[in-house]
Amino acid sequence: MPTPIPTHTLSNRSGQTNIEIKFFQGEQKKAQDNHYLELFKLRIFPGLEGISIFDVKQIMIASRTLKKFVFFVVIAAVAVPLRYGSTNHKYILLRLIHSALTIKNCFVVDKNRPTLSAAYRAFEEILKSNKEPPYDPLADTLTTIQQQRASFPLGYIIPKPFQCQITKEIFIYGGHNVDAYWVDHRQKHSQKRSDKIILYFHGGSYTLGDIHSYSGTECHYSKLFNMTILHLEYRLIPEYPVPSALEDAVAIYRALLAQGIEPSQIFIMGDSAGGGLALLTIQYLITHQLPVPHGVIVLAPWTDLSLSGESYTRNHDTDVMFNSDNTKWEVKVIVDTHASKLPPNDPIFSPLFGSFKGFPPMYVNVGTADTLEDDARGVVKKAQEAGVSVTFETGLHLMHVYPAFFDYFAEARQTLDNINKWIHSI
């Protein structure tokens, strides 16, 4: 008896007809093959003419292939979001591209920067291909800023994790209302009156950034540091002039104290412009003889709006995150909002030129490829001269605010681990 090809079960479109078909090899039993063929045409595709045994076999092969493909797509649709902890398709695509480029960079040697990981160089490669274009100086200022806000990518580069809890609260102090968000990604329930808190000031040149773009970053910080993050939604330029952001920062800090939260429970943390705002806030507190927080953490702080540091030139081509070509335009926008038309090196804009006497312990971080490297180094020098306890970490060959990209390379995760140890040691 001829050997049959494995049995297949087919269903018609209604799903009500199941037919078991055996295809025989060789030239024997052609009548049986024809019988199965006629049955197939009659029951599965009524009215189908001209189909052969070969055609039926091809249909069966295509059917099996389609089933495997559909199965693979379903598994991928479930597994990939679980793997990356997000359903954001832009983020998932970015992670997949980054993984592919990381593999490529494992086989490429950077002789000038041998300490950099393949994963960092892969992320750098992505940013280089999407570098921010120069602003049009003739365009309407608000229109340009609104376009930048709409395209600000941090929200999908680091999206909010599934489990992170975010709760809005409006703080009121002295008739001043401030919007803020409690960000909690810890395992245990938050006790605001006993737990330490990180009051976070986001970056974005004082013109952009909000809870939507920073929620993913702050959720990770909450989980890593095992602390609640309080995100300040400070007012932005140009809709609100200098010193609106500082007024909001001081108001929320004083509102926390009024709620019974001790200064020893509070850390102030910020990145880029938010780092500059953190320093401005503490300088204000000291000037007005208010208690200072337990510590301050600044990542690549923007502290010198006069742009006097050599790193603005030295790192112009190495910093793929910070477009220094647009910085002069941004400074003009910021300074022009202040009624007195003070120069950019006035301490109301630039904390580098203010006093650091009386500051709490500081953790300052910057990459040596960062355009703002000298802004950070200048702060460290002045703070140390004022007798402040300063921990200063530099990331060799690393870009602007590199710790924010912890999802992508180990250098960022190492710095955040260092910050975590510092927080719990002081």
Side-chain angles (χ1 to χ4, degrees), residues 67-95:
K67 287 179 181 178
K68 291 178 180 178
F69 176 75
V70 171
F71 177 77
F72 173 79
V73 169
V74 171
I75 293 298
V78 175
V80 173
L82 287 175
R83 165 66 179 83
Y84 294 120
S86 175
T87 56
N88 186 309
H89 68 280
K90 289 184 178 180
Y91 171 69
I92 292 173
L93 178 61
L94 183 61
R95 290 297 303 272

Side-chain angles (χ1 to χ4, degrees), residues 132-173:
E132 180 184 60
Y135 297 151
D136 180 0
L138 302 179
D140 177 69
T141 297
L142 183 57
T143 300
T144 298
I145 290 174
Q146 288 174 338
Q147 290 172 347
Q148 291 303 310
R149 290 172 184 169
S151 61
F152 192 46
L154 189 59
Y156 74 80
I157 293 178
I158 306 290
K160 173 184 170 293
F162 295 133
Q163 304 87 351
C164 186
Q165 301 298 315
I166 297 180
T167 307
K168 183 176 180 179
E169 182 173 345
I170 299 175
F171 289 82
I172 302 174
Y173 187 84

Side-chain angles (χ1 to χ4, degrees), residues 45 157 162 165 186 238 267 322 387 401 421:
F45 298 108
I157 293 178
F162 295 133
Q165 301 298 315
R186 301 176 303 152
F267 287 83
F322 194 99
V401 197
K421 292 174 184 176

Side-chain angles (χ1 to χ4, degrees), residues 112-124:
N112 295 323
R113 304 180 303 169
T115 59
L116 293 181
S117 67
Y120 175 86
R121 289 185 283 123
F123 189 73
E124 186 181 57

Side-chain angles (χ1 to χ4, degrees), residues 232-413:
L232 171 64
E233 197 83 329
Y234 60 82
R235 290 172 292 170
L236 300 175
I237 290 171
E239 292 93 335
Y240 300 96
V242 174
S244 297
L246 177 59
E247 292 170 352
D248 292 346
V250 172
I252 195 170
Y253 183 80
R254 298 190 75 169
L256 289 173
L257 300 185
Q259 289 182 3
I261 296 175
E262 297 294 330
S264 60
Q265 295 176 245
I266 303 173
F267 287 83
I268 295 182
M269 182 176 182
D271 67 275
S272 196
L277 179 58
L279 301 177
L280 288 171
T281 300
I282 296 174
Q283 288 172 341
Y284 179 98
L285 297 176
I286 294 171
T287 299
H288 291 80
Q289 299 181 341
L290 295 169
V292 297
H294 192 61
V296 59
I297 305 153
V298 287
L299 309 177
W302 194 17
T303 66
D304 176 11
L305 271 65
S306 70
L307 314 181
S308 63
E310 292 181 2
S311 58
Y312 283 92
T313 302
R314 182 177 68 249
N315 293 338
H316 178 273
D317 297 326
T318 61
D319 190 348
V320 295
M321 261 294 294
F322 194 99
N323 190 339
S324 58
D325 292 332
N326 293 329
T327 308
K328 289 182 179 179
W329 181 90
E330 292 168 340
V331 168
K332 184 177 185 304
V333 170
I334 294 168
V335 173
D336 284 353
T337 65
H338 196 268
S340 64
K341 307 300 181 185
L342 295 170
N345 63 354
D346 190 280
I348 195 172
F349 305 115
S350 302
L352 176 62
F353 302 106
S355 172
F356 288 84
K357 185 177 181 180
F359 259 61
M362 300 175 64
Y363 195 107
V364 181
N365 165 258
V366 73
T368 63
D370 193 331
T371 304
L372 301 186
E373 180 187 2
D374 287 350
D375 285 42
R377 291 187 180 278
V379 164
V380 170
K381 182 175 183 295
K382 290 197 67 174
Q384 289 175 336
E385 289 173 350
V388 180
S389 172
V390 182
T391 300
F392 182 39
E393 179 182 5
T394 58
L396 184 61
H397 303 306
L398 300 179
M399 67 181 76
H400 182 58
V401 197
Y402 72 88
F405 306 110
F406 48 82
D407 265 354
Y408 296 89
F409 45 87
E411 292 91 338
R413 295 188 288 274

Side-chain angles (χ1 to χ4, degrees), residues 172-192:
I172 302 174
Y173 187 84
H176 189 131
N177 292 11
V178 181
D179 290 345
Y181 294 84
W182 293 102
V183 179
D184 202 336
H185 195 26
R186 301 176 303 152
Q187 298 301 316
K188 64 189 183 85
H189 181 68
S190 172
Q191 298 290 335
K192 288 185 288 186

Side-chain angles (χ1 to χ4, degrees), residues 28 61 208 337 392:
Q28 300 180 16
I61 293 172
L208 54 91
T337 65
F392 182 39

